């Protein structure tokens, strides 16, 4: 089992920045592919960013490319999402996700574990 706990959400004005963190506990963190997803009201959960276990490969949704950066620290069992140049359309609950293995995690249905989510609100 892997437990994921997100933190760092909040409210920010458009153009601002937030940094989300996900603390993982349980099995060997470095063998899991990690990802961030988000879900806005009345919308499906969507992929934001993913990082393979090797930490050498990252993947981003087109909507956040160039503004968000995913990173991980296997020694500390944490994965972070640095969000810059935030827009009102980034407003959502952000979820940390994990899946065993090396294949990139880009589909919500393929995640093995989920955190409880953290709210991000961007005002215009």
């Amino acid at each position: 089992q892997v437990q994921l706990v997100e933190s760092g959400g909040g409210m920010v004005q458009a153009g601002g920045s937030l940094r989300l963190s996900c603390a993982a506990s349980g099995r060997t963190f470095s063998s899991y592919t990690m990802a961030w997803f988000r879900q806005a009201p009345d919308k499906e959960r969507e992929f934001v960013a993913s990082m393979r276990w090797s930490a050498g490969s990252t993947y981003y949704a087109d909507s956040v490319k160039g503004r968000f950066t995913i990173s991980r620290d296997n020694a500390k069992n944490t994965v972070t999402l640095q969000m810059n140049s935030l827009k009102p359309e980034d407003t959502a609950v952000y979820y940390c996700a994990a899946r065993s293995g090396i294949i990139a995690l880009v589909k919500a249905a393929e995640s093995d574990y989920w955190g409880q989510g953290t709210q991000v609100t961007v005002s215009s």
Side-chain angles (χ1 to χ4, degrees):
Q1 290 290 331
V2 173
Q3 292 78 43
L4 306 173
V5 179
E6 302 97 335
S7 62
M11 181 178 293
V12 65
Q13 289 188 332
S17 299
L18 282 174
R19 185 179 179 89
L20 305 183
S21 293
C22 174
S25 61
R27 294 186 174 179
T28 305
F29 178 66
S30 60
S31 65
Y32 281 75
T33 290
M34 305 299 296
W36 289 93
F37 289 79
R38 66 186 181 186
Q39 188 166 16
D42 300 322
K43 292 188 177 181
E44 293 187 354
R45 194 167 296 188
E46 65 173 4
F47 169 72
V48 175
S50 179
M51 175 172 272
R52 293 173 58 179
W53 72 273
S54 65
S57 300
T58 56
Y59 305 87
Y60 296 94
D62 288 342
S63 59
V64 307
K65 203 170 293 183
R67 301 188 298 121
F68 291 11
T69 302
I70 187 173
S71 60
R72 65 190 292 169
D73 186 334
N74 288 339
K76 296 182 179 179
N77 283 3
T78 59
V79 60
T80 61
L81 184 69
Q82 178 66 43
M83 305 186 294
N84 299 327
S85 301
L86 283 161
K87 304 175 181 180
E89 50 263 45
D90 294 319
T91 295
V93 177
Y94 283 70
Y95 296 90
C96 180
R99 183 180 68 185
S100 179
I102 63 173
I103 298 175
L105 176 56
V106 298
K107 295 181 180 180
E110 296 176 351
S111 177
D112 293 327
Y113 303 100
W114 291 98
Q116 82 287 353
T118 185
Q119 177 70 46
V120 171
T121 302
V122 184
S123 61
S124 56

